[in-house]
Amino acid sequence: MRWKWIVTIGVLIIVILIAAAYVYLNTYDYNKLKPLVARMVEDATGRELNLVGEINLAMGLSPSLLVTDVAFANASWGSQPQMIKIEKLEAQVRLLPLLFKDVQLKRIGLAGVDVLLETDPNGLGNWDFITGDSSARKAGAFKPEDIEIGKIRIEKFQLIFREGKTGSKRRFTLASLDLVRKKAEDELTFDLKADYNSQPVRLSGKTGLMRYLLLHQSFPLELSGAFSNAKVEIAGTIDDVLDLRGIDLKVHASGTDLAALGLDKRIRLPKTSAFDVTGHLRGSKETLALNKGSGNLSASGINLDFRGNVGDLIPLSGIDLQLNGSGQDLSAVGSIIGEKLPSTDKFTVQGHLMGSTTILSLKEAQGSAKRGSLSVDINGEVTDLIAFSGVDLQIKGSGKNLAEIGSMIGEKLPATDEFKVQGRLTGSAKALSLQTAQGNARRGNLKLSLQGGIKDLIRLSGMDLKLDGSGKDLSEVGPIIGEKLPATGAFTVQGRLTGSTKALALEKSQVRVRRGDLSLSLDGSIKNLTALTGIDIRFKGSGMNLAEVGPIIEKKLPTTDNFAVQGRLNGSMKALSLREAMGRASRAGMSVAFDGEITDVLALSGINIRLKASGKELAAIGPLVGSDLPKIGPFDVRGHLAGSAKLLMAKEFSAIVDKSDFKGLVKVAFLKRPKITVRLESSVIDFTALMKSLEKDEQKSANKDKQKSRLFSDDPLPFDVLKKVDADIVMKTKNIHVKDARLKFGHMALKLEDSDFSIDKLEATYKRTKISGNLQINAGTPSQVATRFLVQNLNLGDFLKETGKSDQIQAIVDIAAHGKSKGDSVHSLMANLDGSIGAVMGEGYLTKYLDMLSVGLSQKVVHFWKPPKTVDQIKCAVVQFDIKEGVAASQAFVFNTRAGILTGEGKIHLGTEQVNFLLVPKPAHPSLSLTTKLRVSGTVMEPTVLPDAISLLTKGAEASSTLVVGPLALLAPFVHLGALNAHPCNIESIGQLGLQSPASK
């Protein structure tokens, strides 16, 4: 039984020792170990460990050590003092294995952990420690392979990674991490809830034991979970987790929006509706490769597949991926990659991506897109996709309507029926060129083709394009360029476009246009088409009828037989000059020619043109100026036009019309009211041809107007013209010829200013005759007219004979008139006339002298009187009418003929043209049957003559009796106009004869 006591005593000793150890361990102050622990860590890492809180040990079969407020120093260059801060660390070990130096951690717990990982500008990490000799390496220290952990729990863990070169930060927040080893299993279950860059992370699965990790042994992983909206699966091993070496993991990720993952702000991920990525990761933290990678991305009807490898995922180098993509609308790709792309229908793209994020190339690229009738094909390569350099792409496009492309690229392009383009894009995003470009388009009958290249497509500079165009109507081009162009026949356009959009030049241009018999050609260049400067174009035009040009330029032009113009345009749209201009036109024996220049065509300044016109008949000009001109014979006009649109002068002006000649100066000032200034001289003005032409017109008019009932027309007079222009005209003429009559013209001054027209001085002589007068017209509502007219000592017989009017008149006549009126037609002027008119005639022969009262009156009077021929042989005659408010009342009407004396009195209402006149004859011999008095009534155009035996010539007798007073008292017009010479009449004898009226008998 002794062994029982021995056992009992042994057990008691053990219990006492355990109790003593428990009491010792439970009462020991572990804080005394802080300096030792801190020194051991500093010896191992070169960094300070600061244990601020308490160190406590809870005894039991599984003692637990609790440490609070632990701080581990950062690198000396770090952005903050501490690299690691821990609020609480708790480790629970198994007691019995620990007595045998077998460390079996039952549980490790961490809470409130902040870790800062950062690099300096050179890429050195703060986790790279400078180590030396440490107590941790002394004999007796625990070895990692002796440590076994059953459970690990981490709460409130935050990891921040800061990149020193860029200053960017990435944040990882761990809500909880649980690692638990199940009994009899050589693995840990893994459950993680975290947040990375504001994206939720949830992973679960199985991992290797912690001692594998601490011993740098192969660490298996089999995890699955979710990152943001993506499902993640990871399976494989890592040979050394702590050094991240020997990575051999198969990874699979799938989800909806790839852009929402937010892995790294430096890496821009596309927006997707679904994605699925698979690959095999091999390598280490220095070099991590993706082998047999494949994936599919889809978004808004777009699908993208890729297959291949990435040599190193960390710097994204060694990329070798085959891409295939397709979709229904290319614009949807724009929203995925953050770029605006045109809207299309179906499209496809494929290629081979090679290189790295520094230099990523696209080889064997092929792409096609359609939109309606449009189709585009691209193939080639891009050496550097990142910098978009080394571009070498062949592009082809075709379609029906070019305007559809405009809406795709945001530019307005013309509508077409069909088009084709092709070319080679080379260069980079900074200098992209288009080479061997060809394009053609058709719209109706219009055709356009371009060939050449553009050195810089981005800036649209270095253009060198050959242009060829043709069509059947130039007006069809108008809607394309936004300008109204004239209708034409066939046309062709050729040229060479060079330069840039800022200075686009048109060189070696040729334009040919036809319309009927019209043809126009343009040859030359424009240095800057955009600003329309540097214009140097020669033009030639010709045709049969100038009037056909009118509809083209929207101007009415005269009809011609043929015409031709040519010239050279120089300058810009701000200052365009016309040089070497020449032109000619002909029509019906008439020809017009000009040559010269215009310094500024747009402002019409610097005009310097010589003009010449000639023809067989002046009347041919009528249609050119829009008026009928009388036929007066051949003409030849020359002049030198100079000035501008404000002031135009015809210098060196000369003209020969039939037998008349003119020379001098004509000047037109284009003010608010244009002013015409004329200074002309003539050696002779011959009206012979004009008179003959007018006589023929009068005969035609007389035949047409046999039924005319009024003498004075109601047709408006052209007084409105006086309101539109001012004029200052002086004409000096030596001779005026009217058939055989020869007049000497002294002076005429015509002036039109502020709607007031005046001929202040009109002077002429005919043999011994003096003619003078003036005229004043004030245009208004109504217009006012005033005139004075005086003819002295006119040999009426010679004048009428020489002018071809009559050869049966012999008389010396003085005529005077003055008056004023208001109105806008001949009728209204006559109805409002105030003034007087008088005539005195000496001995002579005058037929139809009664027609001065009414048209055809003489023939009606002959029916009653049947006078002998001697009735037309006048010894003397005096006629005077005073006119007031359109009523002409006779003040004197006496004809002393060889047959007797004829007196008369009465009135003529000029407004109504009613005549009321009494004619009283006094025969020189009783045998003559001239005793019947006649009453003239009716109208001027249709007079009625009836016998009147009752009326007495009271006023006529009174008027005749006043003849003894002389001309100063009787003939007021002469006195008023200054005609003070003695008259040829024997006025006293007329007066004496006039007193012997029937009433005195």
Side-chain angles (χ1 to χ4, degrees), residues 19-41:
Y22 176 81
V23 171
Y24 176 78
L25 293 174
N26 197 41
T27 59
Y28 183 77
D29 186 4
Y30 292 95
N31 290 298
K32 295 178 181 179
L33 300 175
K34 288 182 181 181
L36 177 62
V37 174
R39 185 171 64 251
M40 291 175 62
V41 172

Side-chain angles (χ1 to χ4, degrees), residues 62 122 127 264 334 357 371 397 446 575 639 693 770 781 814 904 910 990:
S62 298
N122 296 319
W127 57 86
D264 193 331
T357 54
R371 179 175 175 175
L446 301 178
S693 179
K770 292 183 179 180
T781 308
D814 286 354
L910 302 178
I990 292 179

Side-chain angles (χ1 to χ4, degrees), residues 300 390 525 721 866:
S300 303
S525 63
V721 176
K866 298 180 181 179

